[in-house]
Amino acid sequence: MKDCEICRKHPRVSMDYRFLDSCGLQGKVIVCEWCRGLNDVAICEIIRDEKDPKEYYTMEGERND
C-alpha cells in the first residue's frame, strides 16, 4: 500500500479534496486516517516541516486536560 500524499508516513485510506496553493495541493489527494481530519494550517505545517500528523492529535488531547 502506498503512503499518504500529505505526510508520506502512513498508509492511504481515503480521498480528500484540498486546494492549498502554498503547499502545491490542487484537488484530489489520497490521505491517511491521520491527515484526513486536519485543517489546512496543520496540513501546510506537515508538508513544510515533515511532521507526523499523529503529533496534532496528541497536542489537541493535552490541551483539553
Side-chain angles (χ1 to χ4, degrees), residues 7-63:
C7 70
R8 301 184 182 344
K9 295 180 182 349
H10 304 287
R12 298 173 176 184
V13 295
S14 67
M15 193 176 312
D16 195 2
Y17 291 90
R18 300 283 177 155
F19 294 93
L20 303 170
D21 287 331
S22 62
C23 298
L25 298 177
Q26 295 294 319
K28 183 173 60 173
V29 182
I30 304 174
V31 298
C32 66
E33 64 182 313
W34 301 102
C35 289
R36 179 176 49 200
L38 295 175
N39 65 29
D40 292 347
V41 173
I43 295 299
C44 286
E45 288 177 4
I46 289 168
I47 292 171
R48 182 187 64 228
D49 302 332
E50 298 181 9
K51 292 184 174 183
D52 189 325
K54 288 183 179 183
E55 293 176 25
Y56 289 87
Y57 292 93
T58 303
M59 289 179 358
E60 183 177 297
E62 289 173 356
R63 277 189 234 139

